[in-house]
Amino acid sequence: MRRRKAIACGLVFLIGGCSFSSAPKEERSIAIPFSVQGEAEGFLLTWFDEGGFHEAQKRSEIPESARQWVRVDSPLLPPESRDPDRIFVADLRAPLPDGHYKIQLMERKAFEALAEAARSQKATSAAGASSSSQSSEIVLFGASWCKACQQAESYLRSRGVPFVKRDVDSDPSAQAEMLRRARAAGLAGGSIPLIDIRGKVIQGFNPQAIEKALAETAPSPSSTI
């Protein structure tokens, strides 16, 4: 039976969105039981790249390009502070103003999906033609229970716009990809729908923003021949 989700949907001035959480709010409020700073020594660090998962004993052993998503495990953490389905993930690119690195509680499946996305991205970039066709794709990330997602989907269909729909509720890899695209666009990844219109990322259902993105990214006539 599907786990109940913490859901909040709203529509304000034709701009609507649903908050997406893969865990109930009370689980999201769990305090991080440790802090990480400097070289992050004393922790087991797990990072990934297109080649899979790797382990490190300190920050400098991790390539700069792989420091955004690093699993941090403390050997001193008691069993009652561990969750088999969730892990602690740190952003080791740069510390916060207080000198510590940002740490979040993340679904284990979502972390694994991010690693899978990295491997898939390598295969996609190796094929130039495939990469080119992907750049013209319109992707709608949402969930079946989200009213704003349904509105966005209906709007795109009414405009005759072809798009790919990905359900972040049932597909961990879709959730990971949504988070990656949101962060790349400088957005928080906790609100759906998230619509990527040929590189223009829109969060929430906003018809005006959709129309603007469609106009700005419309393929030239010569490219459709």
Side-chain angles (χ1 to χ4, degrees):
M1 185 176 182
R2 180 183 296 177
R3 181 188 304 167
R4 296 181 63 185
K5 300 290 188 296
I7 305 168
C9 293
L11 182 63
V12 182
F13 298 106
L14 296 181
I15 302 176
C18 297
S19 62
F20 175 78
S21 172
S22 55
K25 286 185 177 179
E26 57 269 26
E27 293 179 350
R28 287 282 174 165
S29 63
I30 293 177
I32 305 298
F34 51 77
S35 61
V36 179
Q37 56 184 322
E39 278 287 277
E41 293 180 287
F43 296 94
L44 175 61
L45 309 175
T46 303
W47 56 279
F48 60 82
D49 59 12
E50 62 273 11
F53 289 107
H54 311 277
E55 293 184 353
Q57 299 298 319
K58 55 185 179 179
R59 177 179 179 270
S60 58
E61 295 176 356
I62 304 173
E64 290 186 13
S65 60
R67 292 176 183 172
Q68 182 177 3
W69 307 96
V70 180
R71 179 184 177 184
V72 180
D73 189 19
S74 171
L76 303 178
L77 198 63
E80 59 269 19
S81 297
R82 298 178 182 274
D83 186 326
D85 297 322
R86 295 176 181 80
I87 57 177
F88 297 103
V89 177
D91 183 344
L92 300 184
R93 292 176 298 177
L96 299 170
D98 63 2
H100 296 84
Y101 296 105
K102 179 182 178 181
I103 304 176
Q104 62 177 304
L105 188 64
M106 176 181 281
E107 290 276 358
R108 183 186 299 271
K109 288 183 178 179
F111 183 71
E112 293 172 351
L114 282 171
E116 180 59 34
R119 288 192 290 268
S120 301
Q121 189 173 12
K122 180 185 178 183
T124 301
S125 10
S130 174
S131 177
S132 176
S133 65
Q134 188 181 37
S135 66
S136 63
E137 188 178 75
I138 297 175
V139 186
L140 187 155
F141 295 91
S144 59
W145 44 259
C146 173
K147 184 176 181 180
C149 300
Q150 297 167 7
Q151 293 173 324
E153 182 178 351
S154 296
Y155 185 82
L156 290 173
R157 292 190 189 283
S158 70
R159 291 275 285 98
V161 176
F163 64 94
V164 174
K165 179 182 176 183
R166 302 200 63 186
D167 193 321
V168 299
D169 189 16
S170 60
D171 184 357
S173 66
Q175 182 184 350
E177 179 63 14
M178 178 186 73
L179 290 171
R180 185 188 71 79
R181 297 197 192 197
R183 292 181 184 278
L187 301 171
S191 180
I192 51 178
L194 187 88
I195 311 170
D196 188 338
I197 300 178
R198 307 183 189 99
K200 296 282 186 178
V201 180
I202 301 168
Q203 199 163 48
F205 174 48
N206 184 339
Q208 290 78 13
I210 291 175
E211 290 298 330
K212 181 179 180 183
L214 287 172
E216 291 178 347
T217 63
S220 62
S222 60
S223 66
T224 60
I225 298 176

